[in-house]
C-alpha cells in the first residue's frame, strides 16, 4: 500500500474497532428482536440478559474506539463528495457515537431503575446504579431505548447504502477506506 493510499484509508485499529462494533450491534439488534418474539418469559429474560451484556461490551468497545480515534489520524473524506454528502456523513457518524454510548447507558440506567443488575455472560455482574427503583421511569426509558435502537438500524442501512454508492458508482474508494484491501483512488 502506498503512503498516499494509507493516508486515505483508516488505520488497522480503527478498522478492527469498526467491524467488531458493527457486527456486535447487528447481533445485539437481532437479540432484542428475538427476545421480543420469545413466547416463554424465561427465554425472553435469557435472551435479554445476553442483549444487555453485549450492550455493555459495545459501550466499552466504543470508548476504546473513541480513544483510538483521538490518538490516530482520521483520513479526510474523499474530495469528490458534494457538500451535503460530507455534512450527512459527519452527522451520521456523530449520531452513531451518541447512540453507541447512549443506548447502553440508557439500558443500564433503565435496568437500574428496575432494580436489575447486568450479568456479563456469567463472568461478573454489573450492579444497578444507585438510583432507587422507579418502574414507570424504567419503562419509559426502555421505550426510548427501543426507539433509539430502531433509529440506529435505519442509520446503519443509510451508512451501508452510502458506502456502496461511493464504492461502486462514485468509485472513490468508499468501503475500501475501512478495509485493508481494495483500491482507494487519489
Amino acid at each position: 500500500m502506498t503512503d498516499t493510499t494509507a493516508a486515505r484509508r483508516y488505520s488497522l485499529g480503527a478498522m478492527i474497532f469498526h467491524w467488531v462494533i458493527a457486527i456486535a450491534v447487528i447481533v445485539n439488534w437481532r437479540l432484542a428482536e428475538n427476545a421480543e418474539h420469545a413466547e416463554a418469559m424465561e427465554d425472553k429474560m435469557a435472551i435479554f440478559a445476553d442483549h444487555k451484556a453485549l450492550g455493555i461490551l459495545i459501550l466499552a468497545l466504543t470508548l476504546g474506539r473513541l480513544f483510538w480515534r483521538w490518538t490516530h489520524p482520521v483520513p479526510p473524506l474523499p474530495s469528490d463528495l458534494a457538500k451535503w454528502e460530507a455534512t450527512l456523513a459527519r452527522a451520521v457518524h456523530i449520531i452513531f457515537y451518541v447512540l453507541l454510548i447512549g443506548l447502553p447507558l440508557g439500558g443500564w440506567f433503565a435496568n437500574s431503575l428496575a432494580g436489575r443488575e447486568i450479568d456479563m455472560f456469567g463472568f461478573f455482574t454489573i450492579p444497578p446504579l444507585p438510583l432507587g427503583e422507579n418502574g414507570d421511569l424504567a419503562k419509559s426509558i426502555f421505550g426510548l431505548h427501543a426507539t433509539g435502537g430502531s433509529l440506529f438500524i435505519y442509520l446503519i442501512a443509510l451508512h451501508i447504502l452510502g458506502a456502496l454508492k461511493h464504492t461502486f458508482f462514485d468509485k472513490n474508494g468508499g468501503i475500501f477506506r475501512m478495509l485493508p484491501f481494495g483500491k482507494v483512488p487519489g
Side-chain angles (χ1 to χ4, degrees), residues 5-7 40-41 53 57 68 71 103 114 120 122 142-143 149 158 172 175 177 183:
T5 298
M41 184 55 78
L57 183 58
W68 185 270
T71 59
L103 287 173
M120 293 300 293
F142 280 131
L158 178 66
N172 67 7
I175 198 167
R177 292 166 35 89
K183 186 176 180 186

Side-chain angles (χ1 to χ4, degrees), residues 6 42 112 126 134 158:
E42 184 176 299
S112 297
I126 297 174
N134 184 332
L158 178 66

Side-chain angles (χ1 to χ4, degrees), residues 12-177:
L12 182 59
M15 290 179 198
I16 292 168
F17 275 118
H18 175 273
W19 292 108
V20 169
I21 291 170
I23 291 166
V25 166
I26 298 299
V27 168
N28 220 21
W29 166 61
R30 291 306 312 150
L31 285 170
E33 290 294 313
N34 290 342
E36 288 295 330
H37 294 98
E39 292 186 22
M41 184 55 78
E42 184 176 299
D43 293 339
K44 183 181 291 250
M45 297 310 291
I47 297 168
F48 267 130
D50 289 341
H51 173 79
K52 295 173 197 180
L54 188 53
I56 296 297
L57 183 58
I58 289 167
L59 174 62
L61 288 167
T62 300
L63 295 175
R65 181 171 183 190
L66 281 171
F67 178 76
W68 185 270
R69 185 178 175 103
W70 288 325
T71 59
H72 293 78
V74 175
L77 290 172
S79 59
D80 64 339
L81 292 185
K83 185 174 180 172
W84 71 267
E85 289 176 310
T87 301
L88 181 61
R90 286 186 185 98
V92 168
H93 279 99
I94 289 168
I95 295 168
F96 276 169
Y97 281 115
V98 168
L99 292 171
L100 285 167
I101 292 169
L103 287 173
L105 287 178
W108 186 16
F109 192 76
N111 274 284
S112 297
L113 289 168
R116 298 185 203 128
E117 58 188 19
I118 297 173
D119 174 31
M120 293 300 293
F121 305 112
F123 293 110
F124 61 93
T125 57
I126 297 174
L129 296 165
L131 303 172
E133 291 190 29
N134 184 332
D136 291 337
L137 183 55
K139 186 176 180 180
S140 295
I141 294 171
F142 280 131
L144 290 172
H145 180 83
T147 300
S150 296
L151 172 65
F152 203 1
I153 294 303
Y154 294 129
L155 288 175
I156 289 169
L158 178 66
H159 180 67
I160 291 168
L161 288 173
L164 293 173
K165 174 199 177 283
H166 295 303
T167 303
F168 298 110
F169 292 102
D170 301 340
K171 299 192 185 309
N172 67 7
I175 198 167
F176 297 116
R177 292 166 35 89

